[in-house]
Amino acid sequence: MANSSELGSSSSPHLPSAGGLLSASGLKLATLGLILCVSLAGNVLFAWLILKDRHLHRAPYYLLLDLCLADGLRSLACFPFVMLSVRSGAAWPHGPLSCKVLAFLAVLFCFHAAFLLFCVGVTRYMAIAHHRFYAKRMTGWTCLAVVCMVWTLSMAMAFPPVFDVGTYKFIREEEQCIFEHRYVKANDTLGFMLMLAAVIAATHLVYIKLLFFIHGHRKMKPAQLVPAISQNWTFHGPGATGQAAANWTAGFGRGPTPPTLVGIRQATHSQIKRLLVLEEFKMEKRLCKMFYMITLLFLLLWSPYIVACYLRVFIKASSIPQVYLTTSVWMTFAQAGVNPILCFIFNKELRVCLRAHFPTPQKPY
């Protein structure tokens, strides 16, 4: 039993008035046009900023660059055709092959975002819980390998329906080419939806584990400074002040190191290194917050549509209100444009780089 109708079929015997259709179509076109403009402008600006600024040439921003580029491509490749179908009165004016290609791209970008956010969550956990291993292994080539793996997995999930293993069709109720989620007795797309839900759930489990790790290590032992040592009324050591402290820290001294000072300079260097590690830890925590907000918003914007898909698998399509289905579809479209906004809101480093490249004019006195 199919839950979705193709071109030319009607889902309800009571058709809305022409004025209502025009106003609803106009609202959809305006909303999707705004999402398209925000997505292209934000993602292109973000990608240019990462490529331009050398301070952002680091592993987390490389992964974020791939996510934003994919969102921009999704907006450019898919949204104009959705707008065309809305303008045509919820009809697909092209052939079935183009519909399959468009549905393939839509599913590809969806699974790409899910898999990439999972990989980002794993790298965030490594950056906090195993920082030395992360700093040594998470290079640009490693990021490239992660990105290639994510695209390969996404292709594997999106390609089978091209050969009718899970059908790609134009769904009139959604006004887009996507999976045809049929009733459970004739369903062949349930596995794809279960995989998407499993990846999203696994991503949040990684962040929950990271939260417990940070909570368990929130009370770190403070650095213990070694007091100054006096030898012939000359003070040496971390507790010394003035020029003697500067000379000691820089490694200057006369003759062999006194026995009482052996190991003190090495201790100070380890303390300085530890303070640097603490600063890196705080920076990684800020990046974790930004990435989790992106992951959380992905869940919030895609959850209504995923619920609608499961309802069409286990319940008849007529049980789902059209308003709910349309709203859930447009929420998934909005996800393509919100990531750059979240990045600039929750990342001070990005805001500083943006102001550096686009300085605000000073007001004349």
Side-chain angles (χ1 to χ4, degrees), residues 14-74:
H14 302 287
L15 297 177
S17 62
L21 283 175
L22 289 176
S23 61
S25 299
L27 180 60
K28 292 177 182 178
L29 289 173
T31 305
L32 192 55
L34 178 62
I35 293 173
L36 176 62
C37 294
V38 171
S39 176
L40 289 178
N43 288 299
V44 169
L45 175 62
F46 188 82
W48 177 85
L49 194 61
I50 292 180
L51 295 175
K52 183 74 173 178
D53 201 309
R54 291 186 178 181
H55 294 91
L56 303 179
H57 291 181
R58 304 199 306 272
Y61 293 108
Y62 289 149
L63 299 178
L64 195 58
L65 173 64
D66 179 63
L67 180 63
C68 289
L69 288 178
D71 286 338
L73 289 175
R74 178 193 173 199

Side-chain angles (χ1 to χ4, degrees), residues 23-326:
S23 61
S25 299
L27 180 60
K28 292 177 182 178
L29 289 173
T31 305
L32 192 55
L34 178 62
I35 293 173
L36 176 62
C37 294
V38 171
S39 176
L40 289 178
N43 288 299
V44 169
L45 175 62
F46 188 82
W48 177 85
L49 194 61
I50 292 180
L51 295 175
K52 183 74 173 178
D53 201 309
R54 291 186 178 181
H55 294 91
L56 303 179
H57 291 181
R58 304 199 306 272
Y61 293 108
Y62 289 149
L63 299 178
L64 195 58
L65 173 64
D66 179 63
L67 180 63
C68 289
L69 288 178
D71 286 338
L73 289 175
R74 178 193 173 199
S75 303
L76 190 61
C78 300
F79 293 174
F81 291 96
V82 177
M83 297 175 70
L84 183 61
S85 66
V86 172
R87 192 172 181 180
S88 302
W92 181 249
H94 306 289
L97 180 59
S98 60
C99 185
K100 281 191 175 184
V101 172
L102 193 64
F104 167 79
L105 291 176
V107 175
L108 174 69
F109 290 128
C110 173
F111 276 101
H112 169 267
F115 283 126
L116 186 65
L117 289 175
F118 172 75
C119 292
V120 167
V122 173
T123 59
R124 290 296 88 208
Y125 179 81
M126 296 295 294
I128 297 295
H130 308 281
H131 182 73
R132 291 184 179 178
F133 178 84
Y134 172 84
K136 184 178 180 180
R137 299 295 183 183
M138 202 62 188
T139 62
W141 291 107
T142 307
C143 293
L144 180 61
V146 171
V147 169
C148 292
M149 180 191 66
V150 167
W151 281 108
T152 302
L153 292 175
S154 305
M155 290 279 292
M157 294 302 302
F159 206 77
V162 175
F163 299 101
D164 293 329
V165 182
T167 310
Y168 284 154
K169 287 185 178 181
F170 178 76
I171 309 301
R172 184 169 183 174
E173 291 82 359
E174 301 181 18
E175 298 173 312
Q176 66 171 339
C177 293
I178 199 69
F179 275 125
E180 183 187 20
H181 299 286
R182 294 175 289 188
Y183 190 56
V184 65
K185 293 182 179 179
N187 178 267
D188 50 5
T189 62
L190 182 60
F192 298 93
M193 300 308 301
L194 288 175
M195 175 60 72
L196 180 61
V199 172
I200 295 175
T203 306
H204 285 270
L205 287 177
V206 171
Y207 279 104
I208 291 173
K209 185 177 181 180
L210 177 60
L211 181 63
F212 278 110
F213 178 85
I214 295 175
H215 180 77
H217 293 76
R218 69 190 187 280
K219 293 183 179 180
M220 302 184 68
K221 184 180 179 180
Q224 299 291 333
L225 294 179
V226 180
I229 297 176
S230 174
Q231 186 165 343
N232 298 328
W233 299 101
T234 303
F235 286 90
H236 304 270
T241 59
Q243 188 61 40
N247 292 340
W248 185 88
T249 304
F252 297 105
R254 296 179 180 178
T257 304
T260 55
L261 298 182
V262 174
I264 295 180
R265 183 176 289 115
Q266 291 82 353
T268 298
H269 288 309
S270 64
Q271 290 161 6
I272 295 174
K273 184 177 179 181
R274 183 182 181 186
L275 292 176
L276 294 176
V277 170
L278 288 176
E279 289 299 322
E280 293 177 1
F281 180 77
K282 293 179 181 178
M283 181 184 67
E284 297 294 349
K285 283 181 63 177
R286 291 192 292 267
L287 287 173
C288 284
K289 181 179 180 181
M290 178 191 70
F291 278 113
Y292 181 69
M293 293 306 299
I294 294 175
T295 306
L296 181 62
L297 196 60
F298 181 86
L299 173 66
L300 294 177
L301 292 177
W302 275 91
S303 291
Y305 181 73
I306 295 176
V307 171
C309 293
Y310 280 114
L311 288 177
R312 281 184 291 180
V313 170
F314 295 105
I315 308 176
K316 292 183 178 181
S318 57
S319 304
I320 305 175
Q322 183 60 39
V323 176
Y324 174 84
L325 185 59
T326 302

